[in-house]
Amino acid sequence: MKLFVNATQVVTCAGPARGRRGGEMNDLALLTDAAVAVEAGRIVAVGSQEALWREYPVVEPIDCRGHILTPGLVDSHTHAIFGRARYQEQELRAAGIGYMEIAKRGGGIHASVRDLRMRSEDELYALARARLLTLASYGTTTVEIKSGYGLSLDDELKSLRVIQRLQGDLPLRLVPTWLGAHEIPLDYRDSASRRSEYVQLLLQEMLPQVVRDGLATFADVFCEPGVFTPGETRAILTAAQGAGLSLKLHADELEPSGGAELAAELGAASADHLAAISEDGIRALAASRTVATLLPGTMLFLGKTKQAPARELIATGAAVALASDFNPGTSPTVNFPLILTLGVSQLHLSVAEALIAATVNGAAALNLAHHTGQLAPGFSADLALWACDDVREIPYWYGDRRCVATWVAGQPTLAQSPSL
Ligand code: NIG
Ligand code: FE
C-alpha cells in the first residue's frame, strides 16, 4: 500500500461520478492535512493524515511535502497521430487567409492526410510516442486520441493500430476514437455522387473493419459547413452507434449548423468546440447528458477573438469539459495546464470550474467518470503532483510545467524537476 502524505493541499474533486453542472463545478472538495491511500491500483481511502497513518501503519509513504496533489488530468480531445508540423499555415492565417480557405486550397487537414499516407506505422508510432511522453509530463494521465488524417480504409486502420500499440507502452490511459469523417478527401470532392461514395466507404468498409478489429471506443465526425453536413453526420453516427461505438461530435466550431442539438439527440458523450453554438444548442446540451467540451487553445491559435460561451453553458446547466485538441493544424500544444489558463482568462471560468472541467468532466466526456477524474475510494489511483502551494497556481504560471510526477493506476510514471 502507498500512502501519499504531507501535501500542502489535496484537491480531491470528490463527488458524484458523472458530469458536474452549474454550482457543482465550483466544488473542488479541497482538503488540507489529508492523505491518500492506494492499493492495487485503486484509491482505498482519502482523509485525515493522522487517522490514515493510524489505520495503515505498514505502508510505503510518498512524501508530497511542498507540493499539491490533484487527480491526473483527463484530456478528452486530441488528434495525436500525425506526421509533420504545419507551421506554414500559421503565417498564412496571420496574413488574413482563413482556416477554411487554406483547406479549400488543399492545405489544412488535406496536407496532414498526404503526409500521413506516406508514413509507415512504425514511423507514426515513434512520432506519437515522443509527443505523448511530453504530454504526460504536463500532468495528463488519460488521453483520448483520434484517427482522422488517413481518410482511406488502410490509412485509418494504420492510425488506429498505432494508438493500440501505444496503449501499454506509455504512462497514460489511452482512449481511441475513429474519425474517418474528419474531412472529405480531395479526390471525392468533385461531385455530389463522389461525395456520397466517401460516406458509403465510411459506412460500409471502414466502420465494420474498425469495429471488427476492436480499434475504437468512440466515433466522431467533423460536422461543419464545408465539411460534413448534419444529415451526413447523423447517418455516420447512427451507424456507428448501431455497431457498438460511443459517440463524439466536432460541433459548431466556426459556424452554427445544429451540431450540438444533434449530439444531444443522439446521446453523444460529448459535443466539442462549440464556439459558434446557437441558443437552441446550449439548451439542448443543458437538458442532456452530453458534455460540452471546450477547446480554448484552438480559437486562440487560430487568431479568433470569439470563444465558446462557457459561462452561458454553465449557467444554463450544461456539464463543461476542457481539452487540448492537440493537433498539427489548430492546436499544436500538449500543455494541458496552459489550456486551464485559457479556460480562466478566455472562457471566464473559476479555477475550480477549470479543474473540474479537466478532470471529472473530461472523464465524463469519455464515459469514464465512474473510473477516473477524482481522488475518492474505489477510483483508479491516477494522480498528479505539482510544485505549487495553492491550486490556483496551476493556471497562474502560464505555459510553465509545474507537474513533477504522475501515477496511473498507482504506478509512478514520470519524475520531473520543477522548472522554476
Ligand atoms: O479539432 N476541427 C477539426 N479538426 C481539428 C483540426 C484539424 C487540423 O486542422 O488538422 C480541430 O480543430
Ligand atoms: Fe478536434
Side-chain angles (χ1 to χ4, degrees):
M1 170 173 296
K2 290 187 175 81
L3 193 62
F4 292 79
V5 291
N6 297 332
T8 315
Q9 297 179 334
V10 177
V11 180
T12 68
C13 301
R18 53 159 173 76
R20 306 275 173 81
R21 298 158 191 278
E24 291 177 339
M25 287 188 68
N26 254 317
D27 183 9
L28 283 179
L30 188 154
L31 306 175
T32 51
D33 301 315
V36 179
V38 167
E39 193 165 44
R42 301 240 164 211
I43 295 169
V44 292
V46 182
S48 151
Q49 179 157 320
E50 224 189 296
L52 289 186
W53 267 130
R54 248 185 284 116
E55 196 172 337
Y56 303 109
V58 187
V59 293
E60 175 197 341
I62 302 203
D63 188 359
C64 304
R65 194 176 307 269
H67 293 78
I68 70 168
L69 202 54
T70 72
L73 304 181
V74 181
D75 192 347
S76 62
H77 185 141
T78 82
H79 307 249
I81 309 300
F82 61 89
R84 74 167 175 82
R86 302 216 312 262
Y87 39 80
Q88 298 89 339
E89 294 174 15
Q90 194 183 12
E91 279 186 325
L92 290 178
R93 276 193 302 276
I97 304 163
Y99 179 74
M100 282 302 179
E101 180 56 34
I102 292 170
K104 274 197 207 122
R105 297 179 186 188
I109 293 170
H110 303 298
S112 290
V113 169
R114 278 192 298 277
D115 177 80
L116 181 135
R117 287 179 176 177
M118 295 177 50
R119 293 183 192 262
S120 69
E121 198 173 305
D122 285 348
E123 201 181 342
L124 290 169
Y125 172 86
L127 284 168
R129 186 169 185 281
R131 290 165 177 157
L132 289 164
L133 281 170
T134 313
L135 178 142
S137 75
Y138 281 95
T140 298
T141 51
T142 296
V143 61
E144 183 259 16
I145 306 178
K146 303 172 198 296
S147 67
Y149 293 121
L151 307 190
S152 70
L153 177 63
D154 287 351
D155 295 297
E156 282 296 303
L157 294 175
K158 176 172 75 179
S159 303
L160 290 168
R161 278 195 305 266
V162 170
I163 306 172
Q164 191 176 51
R165 274 177 64 189
L166 288 163
Q167 180 82 56
D169 290 0
L170 281 170
L172 286 163
R173 175 179 300 100
L174 306 185
V175 179
T177 295
W178 170 59
L179 180 57
H182 196 190
E183 178 57 288
I184 308 276
L186 286 174
D187 51 338
Y188 284 88
R189 295 182 81 93
D190 41 4
S191 68
S193 73
R194 274 301 274 165
R195 194 186 161 91
S196 69
E197 276 174 40
Y198 187 65
V199 176
Q200 290 315 310
L201 173 72
L202 291 170
L203 294 175
Q204 282 163 19
E205 292 184 44
M206 260 191 236
L207 172 63
Q209 187 96 20
V210 167
V211 171
R212 196 174 320 134
D213 294 352
L215 288 171
T217 306
F218 285 92
D220 192 348
V221 176
F222 188 10
C223 179
E224 188 77 21
V227 195
F228 289 89
T229 65
E232 291 163 340
T233 304
R234 177 188 292 278
I236 297 161
L237 290 183
T238 307
Q241 197 166 39
L245 300 184
S246 298
L247 307 183
K248 292 185 158 289
L249 194 39
H250 278 66
D252 305 323
E253 175 176 351
L254 304 166
E255 289 175 50
S257 67
E261 293 90 321
L262 183 59
E265 183 199 323
L266 296 177
S270 70
D272 302 39
H273 282 290
L274 308 176
I277 189 173
S278 68
E279 291 296 324
D280 282 349
I282 293 173
R283 277 191 293 274
L285 290 183
S288 76
R289 290 165 51 115
T290 302
V291 174
T293 299
L294 310 185
L295 312 166
T298 303
M299 289 295 123
L300 184 93
F301 188 75
L302 288 177
K304 307 259 178 206
T305 45
K306 192 164 166 202
Q307 286 282 0
R311 288 261 52 97
E312 204 184 332
L313 281 159
I314 292 175
T316 313
V320 167
L322 287 171
S324 70
D325 197 18
F326 172 50
N327 77 74
T330 66
S331 189
T333 185
V334 291
N335 182 338
F336 201 174
L338 177 61
I339 303 301
L340 296 192
T341 303
L342 301 179
V344 177
S345 74
Q346 307 298 299
L347 300 180
H348 306 280
L349 302 181
S350 66
V351 172
E353 288 169 335
L355 209 64
I356 293 289
T359 53
V360 181
N361 285 5
L366 298 176
N367 293 333
L368 288 176
H370 60 287
H371 184 71
T372 190
Q374 53 177 304
L375 305 184
F379 283 79
S380 180
D382 301 345
L383 302 100
L385 188 68
W386 308 82
C388 300
D389 294 325
D390 189 287
V391 64
R392 288 167 290 191
E393 289 182 70
I394 296 177
Y396 171 76
W397 297 108
Y398 86 112
D400 196 10
R401 175 166 34 204
R402 287 288 167 137
C403 181
V404 298
T406 60
W407 290 260
V408 175
Q411 293 305 311
T413 60
L414 58 103
Q416 301 286 330
S417 50
S419 57
L420 277 183

